[in-house]
Amino acid sequence: MKKTGIFFSILFFLFYYERYEVIDVRNYQSAVKSVEVKGEVQHPGVYQLERHANVEKAIKASGGLTKQADISGLNLTMDIEHHGVLVVPSKHRITKISINAATLEELDTLPGIGPSIAQRIVEYRKQMPFQTLEDLKQVKGIGDKLFDKIKEHICL
């Protein structure tokens, strides 16, 4: 009986042992990757792309660009990492004007601010720099309504 058990053990070892191969799952790479695309694209969201997909393919998967998209700063051939995020910026970025450093001409470009109020802003900040945006209301001619109109266009 012992000889039969040993015989079958040896047979099992010879025929079945080498059929299995050890796989290291740490080196496994998925055939697809998840990428979040947002900003100025038609359909922002998370997309499953092929493993070597680049920025251009991610934009195409999201339905393409909007008319406001600015791709001048994007490298369309760059690969995106798994779980990466692609943000397509807008052409219409608001450039804020510093109320503590702007020239008369720059202040004059603010909505509702003419040459005389621009001059008052410059005179006020010569005596004391603005500490908060709301300090601008201390300048004669700038009330709550005008401040609300320009607050998105200014910074300290």
Side-chain angles (χ1 to χ4, degrees):
M1 187 74 165
K2 277 187 174 181
K3 289 182 182 181
T4 310
I6 293 173
F7 176 73
F8 283 116
S9 296
I10 292 172
L11 275 176
F12 176 77
F13 181 75
L14 291 174
F15 291 108
Y16 293 103
Y17 181 71
E18 293 196 21
R19 286 189 175 190
Y20 299 101
E21 185 179 332
V22 177
I23 299 172
D24 185 4
V25 293
R26 291 176 289 177
N27 294 332
Y28 174 75
Q29 289 185 342
S30 174
V32 295
K33 59 184 172 184
S34 295
V35 176
E36 182 178 3
V37 184
K38 53 184 162 181
E40 294 299 325
V41 292
Q42 296 294 332
H43 306 289
V46 178
Y47 294 91
Q48 300 296 316
L49 304 173
E50 63 184 41
R51 182 174 32 163
H52 297 292
N54 57 20
V55 171
E56 183 178 25
K57 289 179 182 175
I59 290 171
K60 284 181 183 177
S62 65
L65 301 168
T66 64
K67 291 180 181 179
Q68 295 82 24
D70 180 12
I71 60 168
S72 63
L74 295 178
N75 179 352
L76 298 177
T77 62
M78 184 176 74
D79 281 350
I80 304 173
E81 291 184 22
H82 183 48
H83 297 293
V85 177
L86 170 64
V87 180
V88 178
S90 174
K91 290 179 186 175
H92 304 292
R93 288 182 232 141
I94 297 174
T95 305
K96 295 193 175 195
I97 295 175
S98 169
I99 56 176
N100 279 323
T103 64
L104 283 171
E105 292 78 21
E106 291 171 324
L107 291 169
D108 194 21
T109 64
L110 292 169
I113 303 291
S116 60
I117 294 180
Q119 182 62 45
R120 286 187 221 136
I121 292 171
V122 171
E123 289 171 8
Y124 182 93
R125 75 176 184 213
K126 281 181 184 176
Q127 296 182 18
M128 181 187 328
F130 295 102
Q131 300 296 315
T132 66
L133 294 180
E134 286 76 19
D135 288 349
L136 194 58
K137 294 181 194 176
Q138 301 301 318
V139 175
K140 183 180 176 193
I142 301 179
D144 290 331
K145 261 187 169 178
L146 182 54
F147 178 76
D148 287 341
K149 196 176 191 181
I150 65 173
K151 70 181 176 185
E152 298 299 319
H153 302 277
I154 60 173
C155 65
L156 292 176

